[in-house]
Every structure is written in structure tokens, then in C-alpha cells.
Amino acid sequence: MASVTLKTRDGGPRTISAETITALRGALHGALCLPGEPGYDLARTIWNGMIDRRPAAIVRAAGAADVIRAVNVAREQDLLLAVRGGGHNIAGNAVCEGGLMIDLTPMKSVRVDPSNRTARVEPGVTLGEFDRETQGFGLATPVGINSTTGVAGLTLGAGFGWISRKHGLSIDNLLAADVVLANGELVHASEKQNPDLFWAIRGGGGNFGVVTSFEFRLHPVGPEVLSGLIVHPLSRAAELLDGYRRIAASAPDELACWFVMRKAPPLPFLPPEYHGKEILVFAACYTGDLEKGRKAIAPLQALGKPIADVIAPTPFVAWQTILDPLLTPGARNYWQSHSFTQLSDGAVNILIDSARRLPSPDCELAFAQLGGAINRVPAQATAYPHRDLEFVLNVHTRWSNSAQDQECIAWARELFDRMTPHATGGVYVNFMPEDEAQRVRAGAYGLNYERLAKLKAKYDPDNLFRLNQNIRPAA
Ligand SMILES: Cc1cc2nc3c(=O)[nH]c(=O)nc-3n(C[C@H](O)[C@H](O)[C@H](O)COP(=O)(O)OP(=O)(O)OC[C@H]3O[C@@H](n4cnc5c(N)ncnc54)[C@H](O)[C@@H]3O)c2cc1C
């Protein structure tokens, strides 16, 4: 075994002796992977195909003790440190170039307590794995819409999905977490223990430590939900979105209706003549009694003359994976995001114009409907502050050929700039690309930033956890 040279936090080289590497390898329950070793490429490959970084060493953690060992080495040796949960973050901060990476994907346990309606989840668990376990007991908690996303990063940024209007954000259902701090101590965070840390990790991302266990509240959901897609040609989008806005404004909490503008994929329920043409898709899910759901979704189904309407009772677990085929890993991705308290006519016109000029067949303009229970939590109750939003836009730019990088990124940025006057200025931290550090203070955290910076100074004064949408420790 030879010595290993890693990058420090300020980018310099740090050579770790062969003895230290051997000692770390021997102490781990999981594995230490160096370049070329089994598991190395698997651990460093993440969802966004734009990110191709090579850490100098990867600790594939099997439990909290491994995380503590890795954090201690990183702190003592002043190493650049990256932390990977599900590896879905668009900015790619889960992987570092030349530093030490902690890969949490081997930590896969989900333990449901059906009588108390709670679940303990380790940080390598994906949304699909979580849903499958909880739905085994007819339970669920709000998470996102793509089953391969990690519970960890999603929750630490806030987390919303189909049942959030009814049951709140993922963080609104977080009861407690175990956190390995920068000093290597494992602490419990809840409303009763370390409540300031518990506040900070509910939206503050990976800034405060490595979460090794999450405890969630669960709710009875399903087993079937009334859900599906209603597809229209984009040419009718202006009138349809006019109706949509009225329906969305009076929708019950049980109903979430998102919409997407994109080119039609060759799905079997779409007539072939529409394949490859621009479409507007309403994606709706009613969480509750199926009959009440039919009444709630009917006005949406009555809008215009759809090309396809595939609303039907669907197992919740299946609905949670319905968009997976459009969100497979490995493609090149660049996202931009805006938040809205209302959707103006001007905004709708810009969206339609941009959707007519999509630079690739996989690009989407995706509008998530928020509101409901999410907005009944005060803005300062958790680090995530955006409790007045009705919609979040994700300009979801996706392509496969690197020769198209400039064209696709330029399209996304142009749309972002044109939408700015119509948006709140806030941004959901989990949808920010790596080049938006200037939006962290005012955009992502706003009125909660000062408190977060003070807590960062308390829990991570040297900014060991800096590969994230970084909150600088207050002076
Ligand atoms: C296809 C797709 C669909 C999505 N849909 C939704 C959606 O419906 N709703 C929604 O809210 N979001 C959604 N997201 C965004 C998602 O919430 C973020 O990408 C999130 O960061 C993913 O978490 P992860 O663990 O998979 O990512 P990772 O890239 O592994 O982690 C992201 C960051 O979180 C931190 N981190 C991760 N794990 C830990 C830990 N255990 N302790 C401390 N810090 C940690 C690290 O800083 C890391 O860089 C989607 C993303 C994708 C790619």
C-alpha cells in the first residue's frame, strides 16, 4: 500500500501516509476505495452525466462509525470533503475532484414502526425503497416524484412531492435525525434535543453535518391513488393554463396537479402523429377517497379536448415511479428554477414561447404545484423559508451530446432571465445548479440566512462541510 495525495480544503496537496491509509481501511466496516479499485467508479458516478469527478479516496460507509472515522480524517488532515446520499443533486456536490468522498449509498436500512406510524431511514435509501417499505403497511410520507432520488439530500433541502399539499414537506414530517458533526461527535437532533441543529437541517442541506439516520412521521396513503396524465397539444396551452390556474387556486389539499411542457415521447397511449411534437401535460394525483378524487379531478379533465387522458386508480408505489423512464441517470443536465406565488399571463406566454424552441427532445419545463399544508408552516419554523409559494418551475434542460452543452445551457438561462420579473426571487435549494452560489443567501434562505450562518459557526466553524449550497460561518 502506497501513500495517497489528496486535495485540501483550499485546493493544495496533502499526502497521507501508507500507514494512515492502512489504518483507516482496517478500521472501516465498509470499504475504502482508491481509484481503480472495485466500487470506486460506481460510487463516484452520479445522476447528472455532466459530473465526472475523481475523488482521491472514497469511504463507502456501512454505518455511523464509518462516517465518524471519515469525518475525523477529513478534519485532521484538512481534506476537501464531499458527502453522497442518493447522488441526484444537479450541482454534483456529492463528488469532489481529488478530495475525500463519503458515499452513504451502502446504508440502506428502513425500519417502519406501524403502530406509531414512524420510520427510521438510513441515508443511502432511495425514495422508491422508502415507499416500498412504508406502503407495505399502507403508510407513506411526502418525498419527491422520481424513485431513484435519495431520501437524504431531498429531505435536507426540504422535499416535496405528490402528497405534500396534504401532508407537508419531507422536513415537516421529520421527527429526528442522528448527525455526525464536524468535530466527529454523533448527536441526536429533534425538537427536544439540539433543537437549533434540528431547525437548521430542515432545509439547510448538508451544511451542518452528515445525517446517518432520519426518523419520519408516516400517514395512511393508498394503496391506490387516483392519478395520471392528461395530454394536450402545446398550441392550446394559453387557454388551458387559464383554466388550470382557476382549478389550482381552489383545489383541495388532497389534489396536486403539476404541469409539464415538452416534446411528446413515444408513449403507447399517445397517438403516433403527436410523437416528437410539443405538448402540455397535466400530471394529477388525488390522495384520498377515490370517489372524491374523481369529482376533484373532473374539472381538469373537462378542460379542452385532450389527446390522451389516462387518469385512473393506481397503486401509490407505482405512481411514485411513473416519471422514472423520463428521468433516467446518465444524461447531461442543467437546471434553473424560479418560485411563484401566482402564475401571470406574461409568465405563461414566455413559457409557451420557450417550449416551442426546446433544444432537445428531453428538455422539460416542469411546474410543481405547492401550497396546501406546506404553506401552513411559518417561514421561520424551519430553515426552508418559502412558505408562501403556489408553484415552483424547474427548467429541466436535458440532452445527451456534449456538443450541445452551450446551446442547451443558453436556452435555459434565457428562459430563466425572461421569467425573473414574474417570479419571487426565491429558489428551492435542491434545484440549484453549481454555478448559482450568489443565490444561496437571499434566494435560497432569505430571512433565515443570518440564523443559519450563526449555527454554521457553532456546528461547523471551519466549513468542513462546504461542498453544498454553502452557508458561510458567521464571523
Ligand atoms: C430526477 C430528479 C427528480 C427530482 N424530483 C424532486 C422532487 O420531486 N421533489 C424534490 O423536493 N426534489 C426533487 N429533486 C431534487 C432532489 O431533492 C435533490 O437533487 C437532492 O439533493 C437529491 O438528494 P440525493 O441524496 O439523491 O443527492 P446527493 O447528490 O447525494 O446529495 C445532495 C447533497 O446533499 C448533501 N447530503 C446528502 N446526503 C447527506 C447526508 N446524509 N448528510 C448530510 N448531507 C448530505 C450533500 O451536500 C450532497 O452534496 C429531484 C432531483 C432529480 C435529479
PDB file of all heavy atoms in Angstrom, residues 202-217:
ATOM      1  N   ARG A 202     -33.408  21.190   8.653  1.00  0.00           N
ATOM      2  CA  ARG A 202     -34.667  21.121   7.903  1.00  0.00           C
ATOM      3  C   ARG A 202     -34.676  22.232   6.830  1.00  0.00           C
ATOM      4  O   ARG A 202     -35.358  23.229   6.948  1.00  0.00           O
ATOM      5  CB  ARG A 202     -35.870  21.217   8.843  1.00  0.00           C
ATOM      6  CG  ARG A 202     -36.087  19.896   9.602  1.00  0.00           C
ATOM      7  CD  ARG A 202     -37.205  19.981  10.596  1.00  0.00           C
ATOM      8  NE  ARG A 202     -36.869  20.856  11.710  1.00  0.00           N
ATOM      9  CZ  ARG A 202     -37.750  21.389  12.538  1.00  0.00           C
ATOM     10  NH1 ARG A 202     -39.037  21.151  12.393  1.00  0.00           N
ATOM     11  NH2 ARG A 202     -37.335  22.164  13.526  1.00  0.00           N
ATOM     12  N   GLY A 203     -33.841  22.042   5.842  1.00  0.00           N
ATOM     13  CA  GLY A 203     -33.731  22.988   4.727  1.00  0.00           C
ATOM     14  C   GLY A 203     -32.301  23.444   4.486  1.00  0.00           C
ATOM     15  O   GLY A 203     -31.974  23.902   3.398  1.00  0.00           O
ATOM     16  N   GLY A 204     -31.449  23.325   5.509  1.00  0.00           N
ATOM     17  CA  GLY A 204     -30.073  23.836   5.411  1.00  0.00           C
ATOM     18  C   GLY A 204     -29.121  22.922   4.662  1.00  0.00           C
ATOM     19  O   GLY A 204     -27.908  23.179   4.635  1.00  0.00           O
ATOM     20  N   GLY A 205     -29.622  21.843   4.060  1.00  0.00           N
ATOM     21  CA  GLY A 205     -28.796  20.957   3.248  1.00  0.00           C
ATOM     22  C   GLY A 205     -27.721  20.265   4.073  1.00  0.00           C
ATOM     23  O   GLY A 205     -27.885  20.026   5.274  1.00  0.00           O
ATOM     24  N   GLY A 206     -26.590  19.972   3.417  1.00  0.00           N
ATOM     25  CA  GLY A 206     -25.513  19.227   4.077  1.00  0.00           C
ATOM     26  C   GLY A 206     -24.543  20.113   4.839  1.00  0.00           C
ATOM     27  O   GLY A 206     -23.430  19.688   5.153  1.00  0.00           O
ATOM     28  N   ASN A 207     -24.957  21.326   5.174  1.00  0.00           N
ATOM     29  CA  ASN A 207     -24.043  22.294   5.790  1.00  0.00           C
ATOM     30  C   ASN A 207     -23.656  21.977   7.232  1.00  0.00           C
ATOM     31  O   ASN A 207     -22.670  22.509   7.733  1.00  0.00           O
ATOM     32  CB  ASN A 207     -24.689  23.689   5.782  1.00  0.00           C
ATOM     33  CG  ASN A 207     -24.407  24.434   4.489  1.00  0.00           C
ATOM     34  OD1 ASN A 207     -23.301  24.913   4.281  1.00  0.00           O
ATOM     35  ND2 ASN A 207     -25.399  24.498   3.607  1.00  0.00           N
ATOM     36  N   PHE A 208     -24.436  21.155   7.937  1.00  0.00           N
ATOM     37  CA  PHE A 208     -24.262  21.087   9.395  1.00  0.00           C
ATOM     38  C   PHE A 208     -23.702  19.766   9.897  1.00  0.00           C
ATOM     39  O   PHE A 208     -23.396  19.643  11.082  1.00  0.00           O
ATOM     40  CB  PHE A 208     -25.604  21.415  10.072  1.00  0.00           C
ATOM     41  CG  PHE A 208     -26.028  22.818   9.748  1.00  0.00           C
ATOM     42  CD1 PHE A 208     -26.843  23.081   8.670  1.00  0.00           C
ATOM     43  CD2 PHE A 208     -25.527  23.882  10.486  1.00  0.00           C
ATOM     44  CE1 PHE A 208     -27.181  24.382   8.331  1.00  0.00           C
ATOM     45  CE2 PHE A 208     -25.854  25.185  10.165  1.00  0.00           C
ATOM     46  CZ  PHE A 208     -26.686  25.442   9.077  1.00  0.00           C
ATOM     47  N   GLY A 209     -23.568  18.803   9.031  1.00  0.00           N
ATOM     48  CA  GLY A 209     -23.038  17.516   9.455  1.00  0.00           C
ATOM     49  C   GLY A 209     -23.546  16.436   8.527  1.00  0.00           C
ATOM     50  O   GLY A 209     -24.270  16.717   7.560  1.00  0.00           O
ATOM     51  N   VAL A 210     -23.162  15.204   8.826  1.00  0.00           N
ATOM     52  CA  VAL A 210     -23.610  14.068   7.999  1.00  0.00           C
ATOM     53  C   VAL A 210     -24.723  13.350   8.750  1.00  0.00           C
ATOM     54  O   VAL A 210     -24.507  12.836   9.861  1.00  0.00           O
ATOM     55  CB  VAL A 210     -22.451  13.089   7.723  1.00  0.00           C
ATOM     56  CG1 VAL A 210     -22.929  11.985   6.775  1.00  0.00           C
ATOM     57  CG2 VAL A 210     -21.243  13.819   7.131  1.00  0.00           C
ATOM     58  N   VAL A 211     -25.895  13.316   8.164  1.00  0.00           N
ATOM     59  CA  VAL A 211     -27.032  12.639   8.806  1.00  0.00           C
ATOM     60  C   VAL A 211     -26.911  11.136   8.545  1.00  0.00           C
ATOM     61  O   VAL A 211     -26.813  10.700   7.395  1.00  0.00           O
ATOM     62  CB  VAL A 211     -28.374  13.192   8.295  1.00  0.00           C
ATOM     63  CG1 VAL A 211     -29.538  12.394   8.883  1.00  0.00           C
ATOM     64  CG2 VAL A 211     -28.503  14.668   8.655  1.00  0.00           C
ATOM     65  N   THR A 212     -26.902  10.367   9.621  1.00  0.00           N
ATOM     66  CA  THR A 212     -26.755   8.916   9.471  1.00  0.00           C
ATOM     67  C   THR A 212     -28.073   8.179   9.702  1.00  0.00           C
ATOM     68  O   THR A 212     -28.168   6.979   9.463  1.00  0.00           O
ATOM     69  CB  THR A 212     -25.684   8.372  10.439  1.00  0.00           C
ATOM     70  OG1 THR A 212     -26.029   8.779  11.769  1.00  0.00           O
ATOM     71  CG2 THR A 212     -24.304   8.915  10.081  1.00  0.00           C
ATOM     72  N   SER A 213     -29.090   8.889  10.188  1.00  0.00           N
ATOM     73  CA  SER A 213     -30.405   8.268  10.370  1.00  0.00           C
ATOM     74  C   SER A 213     -31.469   9.361  10.427  1.00  0.00           C
ATOM     75  O   SER A 213     -31.267  10.399  11.075  1.00  0.00           O
ATOM     76  CB  SER A 213     -30.414   7.455  11.669  1.00  0.00           C
ATOM     77  OG  SER A 213     -31.705   6.954  11.922  1.00  0.00           O
ATOM     78  N   PHE A 214     -32.559   9.132   9.706  1.00  0.00           N
ATOM     79  CA  PHE A 214     -33.702  10.053   9.727  1.00  0.00           C
ATOM     80  C   PHE A 214     -34.880   9.318  10.365  1.00  0.00           C
ATOM     81  O   PHE A 214     -35.099   8.140  10.076  1.00  0.00           O
ATOM     82  CB  PHE A 214     -34.136  10.429   8.310  1.00  0.00           C
ATOM     83  CG  PHE A 214     -33.103  11.170   7.499  1.00  0.00           C
ATOM     84  CD1 PHE A 214     -32.135  10.481   6.778  1.00  0.00           C
ATOM     85  CD2 PHE A 214     -33.117  12.558   7.425  1.00  0.00           C
ATOM     86  CE1 PHE A 214     -31.207  11.158   6.001  1.00  0.00           C
ATOM     87  CE2 PHE A 214     -32.180  13.248   6.648  1.00  0.00           C
ATOM     88  CZ  PHE A 214     -31.227  12.541   5.939  1.00  0.00           C
ATOM     89  N   GLU A 215     -35.646  10.040  11.177  1.00  0.00           N
ATOM     90  CA  GLU A 215     -36.903   9.453  11.668  1.00  0.00           C
ATOM     91  C   GLU A 215     -38.062  10.291  11.156  1.00  0.00           C
ATOM     92  O   GLU A 215     -38.114  11.507  11.384  1.00  0.00           O
ATOM     93  CB  GLU A 215     -36.925   9.401  13.198  1.00  0.00           C
ATOM     94  CG  GLU A 215     -38.158   8.667  13.704  1.00  0.00           C
ATOM     95  CD  GLU A 215     -38.262   8.614  15.228  1.00  0.00           C
ATOM     96  OE1 GLU A 215     -37.331   9.095  15.904  1.00  0.00           O
ATOM     97  OE2 GLU A 215     -39.280   8.116  15.725  1.00  0.00           O
ATOM     98  N   PHE A 216     -39.011   9.620  10.452  1.00  0.00           N
ATOM     99  CA  PHE A 216     -40.137  10.324   9.830  1.00  0.00           C
ATOM    100  C   PHE A 216     -41.469   9.911  10.448  1.00  0.00           C
ATOM    101  O   PHE A 216     -41.639   8.753  10.847  1.00  0.00           O
ATOM    102  CB  PHE A 216     -40.216   9.991   8.336  1.00  0.00           C
ATOM    103  CG  PHE A 216     -39.119  10.576   7.503  1.00  0.00           C
ATOM    104  CD1 PHE A 216     -38.026   9.798   7.134  1.00  0.00           C
ATOM    105  CD2 PHE A 216     -39.175  11.889   7.076  1.00  0.00           C
ATOM    106  CE1 PHE A 216     -37.013  10.321   6.342  1.00  0.00           C
ATOM    107  CE2 PHE A 216     -38.159  12.426   6.287  1.00  0.00           C
ATOM    108  CZ  PHE A 216     -37.073  11.644   5.922  1.00  0.00           C
ATOM    109  N   ARG A 217     -42.414  10.849  10.430  1.00  0.00           N
ATOM    110  CA  ARG A 217     -43.819  10.541  10.709  1.00  0.00           C
ATOM    111  C   ARG A 217     -44.422  10.003   9.404  1.00  0.00           C
ATOM    112  O   ARG A 217     -44.100  10.480   8.324  1.00  0.00           O
ATOM    113  CB  ARG A 217     -44.534  11.832  11.106  1.00  0.00           C
ATOM    114  CG  ARG A 217     -45.990  11.696  11.436  1.00  0.00           C
ATOM    115  CD  ARG A 217     -46.659  13.064  11.639  1.00  0.00           C
ATOM    116  NE  ARG A 217     -46.013  13.865  12.659  1.00  0.00           N
ATOM    117  CZ  ARG A 217     -45.398  15.024  12.427  1.00  0.00           C
ATOM    118  NH1 ARG A 217     -45.344  15.526  11.217  1.00  0.00           N
ATOM    119  NH2 ARG A 217     -44.836  15.697  13.409  1.00  0.00           N
TER     120      ARG A 217
END
